[in-house]
Amino acid sequence: MITMALPNKGRLSEPTLRLLADAGLDFEASNRVLSVKVHNADLELMFVRADDIPELVKDRVAQVGITGIDLLEEYGDGLPRLLNLGYGHCRLTAAVPQNSPMATLPDLKGKRIATTHPTTTGRFFERKNIGIKVVYLKGSVELAPKIGVADAIVDLVSTGSTLRLNGLRSIGTVLESQAVLVAEPGSVDHSTVEQVSTALGAVLAGRSKRYIRLNAPTEAVGLLSDLLPGLEAPTIVPLVEDGWVAIHSVVEATELWGLLPQLKTAGGKGILVSPIEMLVS
Ligand code: AMP
């Protein structure tokens, strides 16, 4: 039996549960239980704080987990990352008060930097050979310059509106983060871990693509095939009506809006677009 550690609350919790459900794992999530058994896999889900997950996986309390890259960098000691999960995007950003003359990362030399990510911050500036003093705070980092505890901060930012609200200005990125699937090194090749990783990857690949079907006169096939290259090549199926075919293909969701008018102009009729639940290339 494999145990998977998952965030029990916060920004990563809801999209993580949705991803697992979309991958077909059958379980009843409740915010009052610590762990549940997945009915259709040899898998136990354990709900804990996102920042405890790297430690729990390192200690083999759980063999796999989902957490943020920032937390993995801070507490993970090089735990293997199996898959980037495409949500929970944020950056660890260095920021200074709006009216500060500091404009670039080297300007932070000799300064006090407040952060919830002391290890990551210390390591980043050490690699850049910029001597700083880390001030470790557990929260409300953005208040540190105002109350005189630090000259600058390194904090998680997604839109930047919290920084602006607190009179701060970003001067550089320390780390780009998103949710990741991590594993204990000895469990990377375990069959259940591989199955989970493949299924989650298939859901993510499917989310970014659409399945498209259309009818077209045979003479339009060349042009339409060029517009719809698909994974290898489009599927072309003859229709009962002579001189007509159906073309099936897969397209990038983000390219669809630009593609639809071109498909119409090229002779496509009855264009159908459907979501893809899973895609394994
Ligand atoms: P939370 O439990 O909500 O405090 O956040 C846990 C994790 O969510 C963080 O460690 C990040 O990996 C991720 N996250 C995504 N967006 C943000 C954001 N805007 N601010 C803080 N954390 C974020």
Side-chain angles (χ1 to χ4, degrees):
M1 176 79 89
I2 288 281
T3 300
M4 186 175 195
L6 302 173
N8 61 351
K9 54 181 182 195
R11 291 179 177 84
L12 301 181
S13 165
E14 197 270 330
T16 297
L17 291 179
R18 198 169 349 117
L19 177 61
L20 296 187
D22 287 353
L25 298 182
D26 178 18
F27 61 95
E28 283 106 43
S30 147
N31 49 18
R32 259 173 285 158
V33 298
L34 176 66
S35 70
V36 294
K37 169 85 182 70
V38 175
H39 300 308
N40 57 346
D42 278 340
L43 192 63
E44 176 114 32
L45 306 180
M46 185 170 69
F47 297 99
V48 288
R49 285 175 56 115
D51 52 3
D52 282 336
I53 290 174
E55 188 62 48
L56 294 170
V57 176
K58 268 190 307 187
D59 295 347
R60 301 182 190 186
V61 175
Q63 288 72 44
V64 268
I66 289 180
T67 188
I69 288 179
D70 60 305
L71 299 172
L72 197 60
E73 191 71 15
E74 189 65 23
Y75 306 109
D77 295 334
L79 272 182
R81 284 189 213 172
L82 302 188
L83 196 63
N84 285 347
L85 300 175
Y87 57 87
H89 283 282
C90 58
R91 296 185 312 279
L92 257 185
T93 297
V96 296
Q98 284 290 1
N99 57 4
S100 159
M102 290 185 274
T104 62
L105 294 174
D107 294 343
L108 291 170
K109 195 176 180 111
K111 304 290 183 194
R112 298 163 303 160
I113 302 185
T115 183
T116 50
H117 292 63
T119 304
T120 311
T121 301
R123 203 186 288 142
F124 175 82
F125 284 100
E126 206 177 298
R127 277 192 200 136
K128 291 204 164 300
N129 238 336
I130 302 169
I132 54 138
K133 182 175 181 307
V134 172
V135 178
Y136 173 40
L137 295 180
K138 289 210 170 109
S140 303
V141 168
E142 60 281 356
L143 296 180
K146 214 175 284 175
I147 59 176
V149 175
D151 307 297
I153 68 166
V154 165
D155 201 11
L156 286 176
V157 171
S158 49
T159 60
S161 59
T162 311
L163 281 188
R164 279 192 295 279
L165 218 62
N166 286 287
L168 298 165
R169 165 168 56 82
S170 166
I171 59 166
T173 299
V174 170
L175 183 79
E176 299 273 355
S177 183
Q178 61 174 287
V180 276
L181 180 69
V182 294
E184 180 272 307
S187 303
V188 170
D189 297 325
H190 189 287
S191 61
T192 308
V193 174
E194 280 183 350
Q195 283 163 0
V196 168
S197 177
T198 304
L200 299 188
V203 171
L204 298 173
R207 280 181 185 172
S208 66
K209 302 225 181 329
R210 297 290 180 269
Y211 191 63
I212 186 162
R213 283 165 286 187
L214 54 83
N215 297 332
T218 322
E219 59 269 20
V221 166
L223 202 50
L224 286 166
S225 300
D226 289 345
L227 289 169
L228 296 169
L231 297 174
E232 276 85 31
T235 305
I236 312 231
V237 193
L239 293 188
V240 174
E241 180 145 343
D242 247 9
W244 279 80
V245 293
I247 302 179
H248 297 211
S249 194
V250 171
V251 296
E252 290 293 332
T254 51
E255 287 169 12
L256 196 61
W257 68 274
L259 199 56
L260 288 175
Q262 296 183 59
L263 295 173
K264 268 182 80 177
T265 310
K269 297 260 185 307
I271 303 173
L272 284 177
V273 178
S274 330
I276 296 174
E277 289 189 8
M278 287 194 181
L279 173 67
V280 181
S281 309

